[in-house]
Amino acid sequence: MRAVLLRDLKLAMRLGGGFGLAIMFFLIVTVLVPLGIGPDLALLSAISSGILWVGALLACLLSLDRILSLDYEDGTLDHLAISPLPLENVILAKATAHWLTTGLPLGLASPLLGLMLGLPLEGFFWLLLSLVFGTPALSMIGTFGATLTLGLKRGGLLLSILVLPLYVPTLIFGAEVARRGSIGIELQTPLWMLLGVSFGVVAVLPFASSAVLRINLR
Amino acid sequence: MRAVLLRDLKLAMRLGGGFGLAIMFFLIVTVLVPLGIGPDLALLSAISSGILWVGALLACLLSLDRILSLDYEDGTLDHLAISPLPLENVILAKATAHWLTTGLPLGLASPLLGLMLGLPLEGFFWLLLSLVFGTPALSMIGTFGATLTLGLKRGGLLLSILVLPLYVPTLIFGAEVARRGSIGIELQTPLWMLLGVSFGVVAVLPFASSAVLRINLR
Amino acid sequence: MSLWEYSNPVKFLKLSSRVLPWVSALSGICLILGLFWGFFWTPDDYRMGSTVKIIYIHVPAALMAINAWFMMLVASLIWLIRRHHVSALAAKAAAPVGLVMTLIALITGAIWGQPMWGTWWAWDPRLTSFLILFQFYIGYLALWKAIENPDNAADLTSILCIVGSVFAVLSRYAVNFWSQGLHQGASLSLDKEKNVADVFYHPLLLSIAGFIFLFLALVLIGTRSEIRMRRALVVAARRMPS
Amino acid sequence: MLLSVQDLCITRSSQVLLANVSFDLASGEALILKGPNGLGKTTLLRVITGLQPALSGKIITQEDIFVYAAHADGVKPSLTVTENLQFWADIFDSKDVSSALSAFDLNELKSSFAGLLSAGQKRRVGLARMLISNRLVWVLDEPSVSLDSASILQLEAVIKQHLQNGGGALIVTHADLDLGPRCKTLHLDEYKSKSPVYDHCAEAFL
Amino acid sequence: MLLSVQDLCITRSSQVLLANVSFDLASGEALILKGPNGLGKTTLLRVITGLQPALSGKIITQEDIFVYAAHADGVKPSLTVTENLQFWADIFDSKDVSSALSAFDLNELKSSFAGLLSAGQKRRVGLARMLISNRLVWVLDEPSVSLDSASILQLEAVIKQHLQNGGGALIVTHADLDLGPRCKTLHLDEYKSKSPVYDHCAEAFL
Ligand code: HEM
Ligand SMILES: Nc1ncnc2c1ncn2[C@@H]1O[C@H](COP(=O)(O)OP(=O)(O)OP(=O)(O)O)[C@@H](O)[C@H]1O
Ligand SMILES: Nc1ncnc2c1ncn2[C@@H]1O[C@H](COP(=O)(O)OP(=O)(O)OP(=O)(O)O)[C@@H](O)[C@H]1O
Ligand SMILES: [Mg+2]
Ligand SMILES: [Mg+2]
């Protein structure tokens, strides 16, 4: 499992591998939204934490299809399926690699972007926290979606469509934590719910994904 | 040129081809934004036209990399390059096919989504108009970006990064037309600018793109 | 003897090795003098207080950020038309410098904005267009990094630079649509009367000169190391066992 | 006995391709499968390695015995040749990348990116994975494609060596490979069947 | 004379692969190019068809004379076989898809999706494009890969017919093709060069 994880990280770092691109996309969404709705800072600050969560979610989404499809197309998944490594571990390694190259840096970059959207200072910590705790769920759900759309040529957009409704609970709890944090009210409940979703997803979905994967390799 | 256009449209309609997925994505973004920022309708209606433009732009963006990369990977572009068809025409046909399957339906669907975000009624027409006039530029710029990132394995996100700053003028003028339309003030200037950008881009970029394509096929 | 002779990498290396120490020295002197003068020997502004001193970094950095892109545009055109390798490599070397200048302008602007406008960031037209410029730099550099064949990379990035310049100008115009913005207008224009007092003006000029020389020095260094890198590649290729 | 296939029926999109295929593969043996294009050879290999379900019949074998080399050989263009092989060595828990490299004459190309290799060179990298896996039965789908004659000789030598070490090989090929005395050829034409699928599932719909 | 190549030098990543390659291809002739893996055969074909620039040398030929078949054969999986070929017929302004279909025995597969074909069947679809193009010089990169022996005979027959009609063919292959009397073989080994590139560009950097 370490081998898969390390290789995926290495591939991500290599030429055109896509590391750092998710943050860039995140940044660009943050830039586009004010361009689209105009420069009114009061308006922006009211929607900032929500937009940042939606932006993070989209940045995650855009990088999902590379989790598995390259390995599918060039036959690596076939070979891994008959290797000694259980498929669940392959899935988990790939989701982890995706999180390390997307969700984590996204979370760490979020305060800067919060600044640009006029997020109140006291919200920074909670935004970061909610992203760091919420994005593992995004990566894992995304990996599950990627296994579902595997066989389909350029399932990219189909993947988004399948995955987005699955993202809804994470998004709602996460954005709620960030929003409550920014206006300084109690946020225990959504935070626990967010943690619960993340842990549940990471514990259960690898099994579902590997079952789906086996079917798709047929 | 007709042959390329028709084939691309046919491919888009086929299983997993991606037709209709752009609208679905557009719809889902429209759903996610209220989930992220909460259900306050006054707030939503203030940002609706901007968010819809940003959503349309992202939906376009997501489907860009399939414009050329499939044809590159399976060698079709090589064969087209030594066919009697000039590469400029290939580019133009592909951009047109992208627009017909993405920008145009997006524009036509926009009033419905405007409704969901509380866009004032008098803004519907201008939103539709600005999208229909603006998206050709998005498709053409996107095709240019796709030729730039062609050789690179899954240049998807790099493509977004290159293309997004190029989208800025279209976005600003387009969103401005829609915004002014929704509050009923004068919108001649941004509308002409939008048309100017669209025409300029469609007139000039096919040549730049075909030059880039030739370099990338080397 | 034409100027183009120095488009030969070897000649360029020779010439630049002679020029580089002077440029570096000049930039050091101008920067030290200008910044010291600006920071310690000028009075506080009556409106802005001591924060006005950021101007000695902010304005030169902002100017260089724009001019670096302009230089890349010219170099790209030269590469596309005359195919001189040095110009392509110079464009490549200028990009990170321009990127850093943009960042410095953005960061010092943000630091300045906090006491001045009461916010770190505002979607003012000038700031916004700088942010877009920043994106152009990132995209340009990412494309250079992503393509392996150096000639292809030079071709493609040149085309991107030219197309991007047109769009950068367009976006600059577009963001003006929004509002007049908070940011003050150009203060160094030659035709209008100066709107910066002389006490601030002279050290500012000095520090701008320092930044220009610094930019030149950094681009020279960058170009030289790019040339050396290419040379190493050629040598390595020749050594390869057959 | 490494592998025993009994009365296997395989299908693709509700058509039986091959019916009642039976053969055995003993240790030290190679079995070459031949047949015209589109007969179902690739499908058969995927069924045997467990990547696809069979319609009926038995496949008697051990766990974790196969390694499979198809056209898509999972070579990552942005990793070097060594890195590519080292990855599989980690997966299969084996140390020995260097002997695989030299068996397919890849030492010179060791540190070049796999994406820059020619068709034949890339194929050799894919084949080197066989040696790394330490698996007993090699399942090869047209392994000699794109290889020049010298490389084909190398491939034959590697397979022969593997057979001598007690392994087995199941090979689909249109070319002629010389694998020594313990090599049988099975012509699959005779098992061809183009009848539709009659399993109980389909029956339920009738 | 259809094609005359004089003193051609071709490069890949600042290495000369082949130096001073010269040959002529007359109407009705086939030229088979041979050489070990990684020599530069594929690169040579791409240079000749104009997809890649040459380092030096001359390629004397007419406009719009080539059609190229490589491993990547541009067959779209989600189009049927006929639709795939019809597209190229439109591009090359030719009407005749049906004769191409029957030449490669594709009539039965005519309306199945190309994505569901076996390796050899797909390759035949790719080769059928040659017939549709009406181009004079066929440039084929390992055309016989994945084909069974019957299909190879068909391929040979099609090429021979093309030569009789006054066309030419430039073929890279590791297998043995029998193309009749007007077929020459060129062994590219002797042009091999692993010297670095000595163009003025690289030189300038030294
Ligand atoms: C991050 C935000 C900022 C950016 C990107 C930015 C950008 C620029 C640029 C490009 C210039 C050079 C303009 C020219 O001379 O043509 C400039 C100059 C200047 N900036 Fe900023 N600025 C920022 C924030 C600020 C803030 C917060 C202040 C303080 C109130 C400020 C005050 C000035 C002044 C006084 C000048 C010199 C006048 C001038 O030459 O235009 N800037 N800035
Ligand atoms: N994914 C698929 N779905 C449906 N049918 C398929 C699929 N793949 C292959 N087929 C069909 O199954 C049959 C057998 O295909 P297979 O790839 O096993 O042939 P093969 O014997 O390996 O041929 P070749 O020698 O050309 O590689 C073919 O007729 C093909 O059209
Ligand atoms: N895109 C590339 N960039 C750099 N070098 C390459 C690239 N493609 C191939 N090469 C190198 O160029 C050489 C020739 O490759 P080419 O594909 O022309 O060989 P070939 O003669 O067709 O071999 P094969 O018989 O294996 O197909 C090889 O050594 C290969 O490593
Ligand atoms: Mg097969
Ligand atoms: Mg080749």
Side-chain angles (χ1 to χ4, degrees):
Chain A
M1 190 178 152
R2 247 187 77 247
V4 178
L5 179 61
L6 287 180
R7 188 198 62 143
D8 271 26
L9 290 179
K10 203 188 277 172
L11 283 173
M13 302 292 175
R14 283 286 155 85
L15 217 85
F19 180 70
L21 292 174
I23 307 180
M24 271 308 296
F25 179 80
F26 194 35
L27 181 91
I28 292 176
V29 167
T30 335
V31 174
L32 282 187
V33 168
L35 290 183
I37 67 181
D40 178 356
L41 210 57
L43 191 62
L44 283 176
S45 123
I47 61 172
S48 56
S49 62
I51 292 290
L52 284 177
W53 251 94
V54 172
L57 199 150
L58 292 175
C60 246
L61 205 66
L62 271 184
S63 48
L64 285 183
D65 92 315
R66 62 191 311 145
I67 299 182
L68 287 170
S69 61
L70 282 178
D71 277 350
Y72 176 73
E73 281 160 21
D74 71 6
T76 305
L77 281 181
D78 278 348
H79 303 322
L80 281 175
I82 55 178
S83 82
L85 201 62
L87 269 188
E88 288 79 18
N89 290 12
V90 175
I91 298 283
L92 207 57
K94 293 204 148 274
T96 313
H98 181 257
W99 183 68
L100 286 177
T101 54
T102 319
L104 186 62
L106 234 54
L108 299 180
S110 62
L112 181 68
L113 303 178
L115 195 82
M116 295 183 45
L117 290 183
L119 183 73
L121 265 183
E122 49 282 20
F124 284 13
F125 173 71
W126 293 109
L127 178 64
L128 197 155
L129 202 78
S130 67
L131 280 173
V132 169
F133 285 163
T135 42
L138 298 187
S139 290
M140 193 62 239
I141 296 172
T143 310
F144 173 65
T147 53
L148 277 175
T149 56
L150 203 56
L152 320 173
K153 270 274 149 192
R154 283 307 132 93
L157 270 175
L158 176 60
L159 172 61
S160 322
I161 288 168
L162 290 180
V163 158
L164 273 172
L166 302 179
Y167 275 179
V168 167
T170 321
L171 172 64
I172 291 182
F173 294 130
E176 190 66 12
V177 170
R179 195 182 63 84
R180 294 196 183 181
S182 76
I183 53 178
I185 60 177
E186 183 269 346
L187 43 64
Q188 297 278 315
T189 332
L191 186 58
W192 284 117
M193 294 301 298
L194 183 66
L195 282 174
V197 170
S198 273
F199 277 108
V201 157
V202 172
V204 174
L205 278 189
F207 298 97
S209 306
S210 72
V212 171
L213 190 53
R214 246 173 237 294
I215 293 168
N216 259 335
L217 287 183
R218 268 184 204 164
Chain B
M1 192 179 147
R2 247 187 78 248
V4 178
L5 178 62
L6 288 180
R7 188 198 62 144
D8 271 24
L9 290 179
K10 203 188 280 173
L11 283 174
M13 302 292 175
R14 285 284 155 85
L15 214 86
F19 179 71
L21 291 174
I23 305 181
M24 275 304 295
F25 179 79
F26 193 34
L27 183 92
I28 292 176
V29 167
T30 335
V31 173
L32 281 187
V33 168
L35 290 181
I37 66 182
D40 178 355
L41 207 59
L43 192 60
L44 280 177
S45 116
I47 62 172
S48 56
S49 63
I51 292 292
L52 284 177
W53 251 93
V54 172
L57 200 150
L58 292 176
C60 245
L61 204 67
L62 273 183
S63 48
L64 284 184
D65 93 302
R66 62 191 307 144
I67 298 183
L68 287 170
S69 61
L70 282 176
D71 277 349
Y72 176 73
E73 281 160 21
D74 71 6
T76 304
L77 280 182
D78 277 348
H79 303 322
L80 282 176
I82 55 179
S83 83
L85 201 63
L87 269 188
E88 287 80 17
N89 290 9
V90 175
I91 299 281
L92 206 57
K94 294 205 148 275
T96 312
H98 182 257
W99 182 67
L100 287 177
T101 54
T102 319
L104 186 62
L106 235 53
L108 299 180
S110 62
L112 181 68
L113 303 178
L115 201 75
M116 292 175 49
L117 290 182
L119 183 73
L121 264 184
E122 49 281 22
F124 283 13
F125 172 71
W126 293 110
L127 178 65
L128 196 156
L129 200 78
S130 67
L131 279 173
V132 169
F133 284 164
T135 42
L138 298 187
S139 291
M140 192 63 239
I141 296 172
T143 310
F144 172 67
T147 53
L148 274 177
T149 55
L150 202 57
L152 318 173
K153 271 272 150 197
R154 283 309 132 95
L157 272 175
L158 176 60
L159 172 61
S160 323
I161 288 172
L162 292 182
V163 158
L164 273 171
L166 301 178
Y167 274 179
V168 168
T170 320
L171 171 65
I172 292 182
F173 293 129
E176 189 70 10
V177 170
R179 194 181 65 82
R180 294 196 181 182
S182 76
I183 54 179
I185 59 177
E186 184 268 345
L187 43 64
Q188 296 277 314
T189 333
L191 186 59
W192 285 116
M193 291 305 298
L194 183 66
L195 282 174
V197 171
S198 274
F199 277 107
V201 157
V202 173
V204 174
L205 278 189
F207 298 95
S209 305
S210 72
V212 168
L213 191 54
R214 248 173 235 293
I215 293 167
N216 260 334
L217 288 183
R218 267 180 206 167
Chain C
M1 164 180 152
S2 91
L3 188 64
W4 295 122
E5 221 162 275
Y6 294 104
S7 63
N8 174 306
V10 179
K11 285 232 173 80
F12 177 84
L13 277 185
K14 271 201 203 113
L15 177 76
S16 61
S17 71
R18 263 182 286 138
V19 173
L20 188 56
W22 292 99
V23 177
S24 320
L26 270 177
S27 96
I29 293 169
C30 290
L31 274 181
I32 291 171
L33 266 183
L35 291 182
F36 261 90
W37 187 354
F39 282 165
F40 301 114
W41 299 319
T42 57
D44 286 356
D45 187 81
Y46 68 95
R47 270 184 307 131
M48 300 191 247
S50 60
T51 54
V52 73
K53 297 190 166 161
I54 292 182
I55 203 175
Y56 302 112
I57 295 176
H58 176 75
V59 171
L63 284 177
M64 289 328 292
I66 294 171
N67 288 330
W69 185 271
F70 189 67
M71 189 217 116
M72 281 157 54
L73 175 62
V74 174
S76 299
L77 282 171
I78 294 177
W79 159 252
L80 283 182
I81 295 166
R82 304 205 50 150
R83 306 203 74 78
H84 292 312
H85 282 82
V86 173
S87 76
L89 295 180
K92 184 183 183 184
V97 185
L99 178 76
V100 171
M101 292 294 177
T102 316
L103 258 183
I104 292 177
L106 283 171
I107 291 171
T108 52
I111 295 172
W112 203 357
Q114 176 58 20
M116 284 295 99
W117 307 334
T119 171
W120 296 94
W121 180 263
W123 291 92
D124 159 281
R126 180 170 287 176
L127 312 203
T128 308
S129 46
F130 246 64
L131 199 61
I132 295 166
L133 183 64
F134 178 70
Q135 288 176 20
F136 274 117
Y137 274 121
I138 296 272
Y140 179 87
L141 280 170
L143 193 61
W144 260 112
K145 271 205 94 133
I147 305 171
E148 235 159 303
N149 182 313
D151 278 7
N152 284 0
D155 279 337
L156 297 181
T157 51
S158 299
I159 295 177
L160 177 70
C161 181
I162 292 165
V163 172
S165 305
V166 176
F167 279 88
V169 172
L170 257 179
S171 356
R172 184 66 230 270
Y173 175 77
V175 288
N176 275 337
F177 253 72
W178 280 350
S179 61
Q180 291 320 303
L182 301 158
H183 200 285
Q184 43 265 82
S187 52
L188 296 179
S189 56
L190 295 173
D191 44 332
K192 286 184 235 139
E193 65 178 292
K194 297 194 284 236
N195 49 13
V196 173
D198 274 348
V199 260
F200 302 125
Y201 191 62
H202 293 296
L204 181 59
L205 279 189
L206 208 54
S207 130
I208 289 177
F211 266 76
I212 292 176
F213 286 123
L214 178 66
F215 172 75
L216 281 180
L218 289 176
V219 170
L220 282 181
I221 292 171
T223 314
R224 287 166 59 83
S225 64
E226 290 291 341
I227 291 176
R228 291 219 181 84
M229 205 98 90
R230 284 291 290 276
R231 177 193 270 186
L233 278 184
V234 175
V235 171
R238 292 196 179 181
R239 289 243 181 81
M240 208 151 107
S242 42
Chain D
M1 194 65 59
L2 292 173
L3 168 71
S4 166
V5 167
Q6 292 165 13
D7 287 328
L8 198 66
C9 293
I10 61 168
T11 58
R12 266 288 197 198
S13 45
S14 72
Q15 266 213 332
V16 178
L17 292 176
L18 295 171
N20 302 317
V21 181
S22 304
F23 59 81
D24 294 327
L25 185 73
S27 160
E29 253 182 15
L31 181 65
I32 293 191
L33 303 172
K34 294 226 160 194
N37 290 146
L39 185 70
K41 303 179 296 299
T42 301
T43 315
L44 179 63
L45 294 189
R46 291 180 65 87
V47 169
I48 289 174
T49 51
L51 289 168
Q52 228 170 280
L55 178 65
S56 64
K58 266 196 211 158
I59 302 169
I60 302 166
T61 179
Q62 288 129 263
E63 279 268 292
D64 283 348
I65 195 175
F66 296 113
V67 62
Y68 177 49
H71 282 275
D73 43 18
V75 175
K76 288 285 170 216
S78 58
L79 296 182
T80 64
V81 171
T82 320
E83 283 171 334
N84 264 301
L85 295 179
Q86 187 60 51
F87 168 66
W88 290 107
D90 293 344
I91 293 288
F92 284 107
D93 262 334
S94 78
K95 305 264 130 48
D96 204 16
V97 177
S98 58
S99 74
L101 281 173
S102 40
F104 284 102
D105 204 9
L106 289 167
N107 274 318
E108 259 179 37
L109 301 167
K110 199 152 72 175
S111 48
S112 47
F113 288 105
L116 302 184
L117 298 182
S118 78
Q121 292 165 341
K122 208 178 281 170
R123 183 130 267 258
R124 263 142 59 191
V125 177
L127 290 171
R129 204 166 42 84
M130 302 291 109
L131 282 173
I132 285 171
S133 70
N134 288 329
R135 289 286 171 89
L136 267 175
V137 179
W138 291 2
V139 179
L140 307 175
D141 200 354
E142 308 195 33
S144 63
V145 156
S146 302
L147 295 184
D148 60 18
S149 40
S151 309
I152 292 184
L153 288 180
Q154 270 172 346
L155 172 67
E156 287 169 353
V158 169
I159 296 178
K160 278 185 208 155
Q161 182 61 45
H162 175 63
L163 298 181
Q164 264 175 22
N165 297 348
L170 204 60
I171 305 170
V172 164
T173 183
H174 295 297
D176 296 314
L177 292 180
D178 166 28
L179 298 176
R182 302 213 45 197
C183 168
K184 296 180 298 185
T185 302
L186 183 67
H187 288 275
L188 287 172
D189 314 40
E190 36 189 307
Y191 301 104
K192 179 170 174 173
S193 145
K194 282 271 172 181
S195 72
V197 175
Y198 279 113
D199 61 348
H200 23 265
C201 157
E203 213 127 83
F205 282 99
L206 290 176
Chain E
M1 196 64 61
L2 292 173
L3 167 71
S4 167
V5 167
Q6 293 166 11
D7 287 328
L8 198 67
C9 293
I10 62 168
T11 58
R12 266 291 197 194
S13 46
S14 74
Q15 266 211 334
V16 178
L17 291 176
L18 296 170
N20 303 317
V21 181
S22 305
F23 59 81
D24 294 327
L25 185 73
S27 160
E29 254 181 14
L31 182 65
I32 293 191
L33 303 172
K34 293 226 159 194
N37 289 145
L39 185 69
K41 304 179 295 299
T42 300
T43 315
L44 179 63
L45 295 188
R46 291 180 65 86
V47 169
I48 289 174
T49 51
L51 289 169
Q52 228 169 279
L55 178 65
S56 63
K58 267 197 210 154
I59 303 169
I60 301 166
T61 179
Q62 288 131 263
E63 279 268 291
D64 283 348
I65 195 175
F66 296 113
V67 62
Y68 177 49
H71 284 274
D73 42 19
V75 175
K76 289 285 169 215
S78 57
L79 297 182
T80 65
V81 171
T82 320
E83 284 171 333
N84 264 301
L85 294 179
Q86 188 59 51
F87 169 65
W88 291 108
D90 292 344
I91 293 287
F92 283 107
D93 261 334
S94 78
K95 305 262 131 47
D96 205 16
V97 177
S98 58
S99 75
L101 280 174
S102 41
F104 283 103
D105 203 9
L106 289 167
N107 274 317
E108 258 177 39
L109 300 167
K110 198 153 73 175
S111 49
S112 49
F113 288 105
L116 302 184
L117 299 182
S118 79
Q121 292 165 341
K122 207 178 284 170
R123 182 132 269 258
R124 263 144 57 193
V125 177
L127 290 172
R129 203 166 43 82
M130 303 290 108
L131 282 173
I132 285 171
S133 70
N134 287 331
R135 288 284 172 91
L136 268 175
V137 179
W138 291 1
V139 179
L140 308 174
D141 200 353
E142 309 195 32
S144 64
V145 155
S146 303
L147 295 184
D148 58 20
S149 40
S151 309
I152 291 184
L153 288 180
Q154 270 171 344
L155 173 66
E156 287 169 352
V158 169
I159 295 178
K160 276 185 210 156
Q161 182 59 46
H162 175 64
L163 297 182
Q164 265 177 17
N165 296 348
L170 205 59
I171 305 169
V172 164
T173 183
H174 295 298
D176 294 313
L177 292 179
D178 166 28
L179 298 177
R182 301 211 47 195
C183 168
K184 297 179 297 183
T185 302
L186 183 67
H187 288 275
L188 287 171
D189 314 40
E190 36 190 307
Y191 301 105
K192 179 171 174 173
S193 146
K194 282 272 173 179
S195 74
V197 175
Y198 276 111
D199 61 347
H200 25 267
C201 151
E203 210 127 87
F205 282 102
L206 289 176

